[in-house]
């Protein structure tokens, strides 16, 4: 048996093994990995080729060894259509990100060159999806007949997917997919015993939903001193499901707190939260994350084409022509979710604002905040710069709504302070409807 054939066999074995393994819990993985290795080894022995015995549990290092022979022919399995709309064909190699993995360790493992990784990162510049790979994220790889990476699929959770396809010039083009799923409204009611999040949890509310509520009302309520045992709460929440599975996304629709000391409520209306009297609960955003207006050197353009490759290279942000060192301000209250140095985006910051808004600030020279830090609107978070791949000093500013990039200069952002008088009735109607649903639930909870 020729060494080339062995590699071909190994590769198809390993592909199957990786695909299987990535869907299984760790103990099963180890068992399966051992079984597969024994199988592989026996195939080699049966062919009178000298087989190297492999210790169990060394699956990974073996994998990288075996796929390493880049000069050997590789099997040309039917390739996936480059059109990303095709309904999820199984990629040739599937991999679920493990603890401690980085993109380069994974690419090393599969013997995909660093050049290819850089090309992917270049395409990812406008998504920055690959910067935050975490255990559980799913990666898919498809190769061409030469064994070069042709398609790369990144999937996080049930709702988000980015597909990178390689064009003729070797550059990658990406498409982002966000699954809308369906929302189901669920209503909960209960009494406070101990702290609010855990009391809500006992009533069936997810802990993340409880924290959404407390962050929504943090300006209005002190969740220590205002709480008394026996206070009642009611919550209406819409949970997102894809194919019957909860995605982790919940939208708080209504919350009522009826306490001995404090009465408080929050209702979602027209994408903003108000109390039952129609007073806004959220702070406004500022349109421009700078102290004053600067010239826009490049605007938001989702259809921008690369001048040389002709591939779609969207410009997902707004570029402000600002000198290096210009203070960059947080566009709204939020939590810093990323402070990262990226080969192309340079030093950049991401802020997650309440529920659905994210902002990004690229090509910075200095960051004044760290990951996890709370920031408020107008706070100086960075100094602008020219880092990464940048043709001149500027600030690239991005606004994403539910993960989708929007034009930050024109998008509707929370600036509403009160409800317009013509919408008052609609608001009252909605509050009344939710309140009656919640009252029903409270009555049920009391019976139990
Ligand atoms: Zn830009």
């Amino acid at each position: 048996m020729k060494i080339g054939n062995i590699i071909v066999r190994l590769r198809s074995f390993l592909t199957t093994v990786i695909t299987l393994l990535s869907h299984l819990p760790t103990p099963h993985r180890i068992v399966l990995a051992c079984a597969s290795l024994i199988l592989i080894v026996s195939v080699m022995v049966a062919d009178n080729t000298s087989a190297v015995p492999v210790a169990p549990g060394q699956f990974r290092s073996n994998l990288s060894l075996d796929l390493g022979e880049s000069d050997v022919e590789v099997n040309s399995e039917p390739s996936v259509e480059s059109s990303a709309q095709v309904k999820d064909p199984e990629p040739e190699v599937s991999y679920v990100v493990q603890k401690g993995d980085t993109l380069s360790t994974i690419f090393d493992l599969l013997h995909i060159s660093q050049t290819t990784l850089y090309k992917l990162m270049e395409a990812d510049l406008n998504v920055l999806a690959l910067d935050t790979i975490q255990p559980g994220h799913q990666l898919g790889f498809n190769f061409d007949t030469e064994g070069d990476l042709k398609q790369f699929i990144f999937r996080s959770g049930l709702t988000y997917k980015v597909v990178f396809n390689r064009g003729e010039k070797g550059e990658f083009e990406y498409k982002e997919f966000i699954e809308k799923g369906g929302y189901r409204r669920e209503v909960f009611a209960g009494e406070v015993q101990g702290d609010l999040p855990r009391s809500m949890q006992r009533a069936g509310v997810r802990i993340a939903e409880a924290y959404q509520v407390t962050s929504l009302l943090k300006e209005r309520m002190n969740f220590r001193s205002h709480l008394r045992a026996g206070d009642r709460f009611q919550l209406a929440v819409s949970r997102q499901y894809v194919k019957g599975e909860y995605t982790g996304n919940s939208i708080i629709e209504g919350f009522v707190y009826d306490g001995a000391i404090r009465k408080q409520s929050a209702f979602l209306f027209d994408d903003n939260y108000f109390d039952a009297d129609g007073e806004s609960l959220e702070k406004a955003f500022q349109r421009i994350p700078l102290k004053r207006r600067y010239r826009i050197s490049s605007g938001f353009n989702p259809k921008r084409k690369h001048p040389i490759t002709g591939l779609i290279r969207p410009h997902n942000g707004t570029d402000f022509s600002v000198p290096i060192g210009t203070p960059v301000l947080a566009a709204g209250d939020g939590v810093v979710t990323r402070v990262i140095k990226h080969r192309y985006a340079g030093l950049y910051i991401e802020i997650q604002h309440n529920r659905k808004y994210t902002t990004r600030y690229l090509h910075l020279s200095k960051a004044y905040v760290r990951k996890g830090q709370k920031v408020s609107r107008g706070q100086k978070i960075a100094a602008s710069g020219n880092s990464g791949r940048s043709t001149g000093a500027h600030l690239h500013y991005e606004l994403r709504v539910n993960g989708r990039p929007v034009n930050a200069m024109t998008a509707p952002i929370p600036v509403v302070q009160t409800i317009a008088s013509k919408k008052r009735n609609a608001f009252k109607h909605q509050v009344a409807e939710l309140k009656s649903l919640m009252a029903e639930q409270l009555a049920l909870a009391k019976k139990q």
Side-chain angles (χ1 to χ4, degrees), residues 124-343:
D124 186 48
L125 173 62
N126 279 300
V127 203
L128 296 172
L130 306 181
D131 269 14
T132 50
I133 61 159
Q134 280 166 17
H137 286 169
Q138 294 166 32
L139 311 178
F141 301 82
N142 286 305
F143 301 89
D144 63 16
T145 49
E146 309 285 304
D148 289 331
L149 185 65
K150 184 182 67 178
Q151 187 183 52
F152 176 69
I153 302 152
F154 169 84
R155 189 186 273 283
S156 71
L158 291 165
T159 54
Y160 186 67
K161 179 172 82 170
V162 192
V163 178
F164 298 86
N165 287 307
R166 199 166 208 160
E168 276 167 15
K169 299 221 163 76
E171 312 288 321
F172 284 92
E173 183 171 40
Y174 79 87
K175 283 201 178 97
E176 248 178 316
F177 298 86
I178 300 169
E179 174 73 58
K180 278 203 176 132
Y183 280 87
R184 214 181 294 158
R185 180 186 283 163
E186 290 167 48
V187 184
F188 303 93
E191 280 189 0
V192 170
Q193 298 296 338
D195 72 2
L196 184 62
R198 255 149 287 272
S199 305
M200 291 176 80
Q201 216 179 3
R202 277 195 296 275
V205 179
R206 287 169 193 270
I207 197 76
E209 294 165 345
Y211 286 132
Q212 272 190 62
V213 168
T214 52
S215 100
L216 197 59
L217 289 171
K218 66 178 188 297
E219 306 283 325
R220 299 279 189 107
M221 265 185 88
N222 181 324
F223 289 96
R224 288 179 187 280
S225 61
H226 291 153
L227 254 57
R228 289 295 176 273
D231 284 0
R232 286 177 298 274
F233 59 82
Q234 298 148 55
L235 176 77
V237 61
S238 280
R239 290 176 175 168
Q240 189 189 34
Y241 290 86
V242 170
K243 293 175 195 127
E245 251 187 280
Y246 175 62
T247 63
N249 293 332
S250 294
I251 298 171
I252 307 299
E253 288 201 64
F255 176 74
V256 172
Y257 190 86
D258 184 8
I261 298 179
R262 257 299 201 277
K263 295 189 196 314
Q264 196 53 253
S265 59
F267 292 94
L268 181 65
F269 183 74
D270 263 4
D271 270 346
N272 287 279
Y273 283 101
F274 301 91
D275 64 17
D277 301 323
E279 284 293 313
S280 175
L281 292 177
E282 289 180 292
K283 283 195 180 159
F285 260 73
Q286 61 187 62
R287 184 68 74 184
I288 292 168
L290 295 160
K291 279 184 184 153
R292 63 173 183 85
R293 232 167 222 287
Y294 285 86
R295 186 175 66 85
I296 291 174
S297 51
S298 178
F300 178 82
N301 181 2
K303 299 230 159 72
R304 185 173 70 169
K305 274 200 176 164
H306 191 280
I308 300 158
T309 61
L311 296 175
I312 301 279
R313 274 290 151 78
H315 188 234
N316 284 340
T318 305
D319 289 350
F320 295 98
S321 175
V322 289
I324 292 174
T326 306
V328 176
L329 318 176
D333 292 3
V335 176
V336 176
T337 43
R338 300 186 196 178
V339 179
I340 289 178
K341 254 188 193 153
H342 186 278
R343 190 176 172 86

Side-chain angles (χ1 to χ4, degrees), residues 15 32 36 49 119 227 253 264 295 339 343 346 412 421 429:
T15 302
L32 248 180
S36 316
T49 317
K119 289 217 158 111
L227 254 57
E253 288 201 64
Q264 196 53 253
R295 186 175 66 85
V339 179
R343 190 176 172 86
S421 54
H429 183 80

Side-chain angles (χ1 to χ4, degrees), residues 374-396:
K374 279 187 183 170
V375 292
S376 46
R377 175 169 61 112
Q379 184 179 333
K380 186 161 107 175
I381 54 165
S384 74
N386 192 23
S387 58
R389 189 175 59 188
S390 170
T391 48
H394 76 286
L395 172 72
H396 171 107

Side-chain angles (χ1 to χ4, degrees), residues 25-26 30 36 38 123 161 164 175 249 315 409 425 434-435:
T26 315
I30 293 165
S36 316
I38 290 164
K161 179 172 82 170
F164 298 86
K175 283 201 178 97
N249 293 332
H315 188 234
M409 297 303 102
N425 278 337
L434 282 172
K435 274 188 168 173

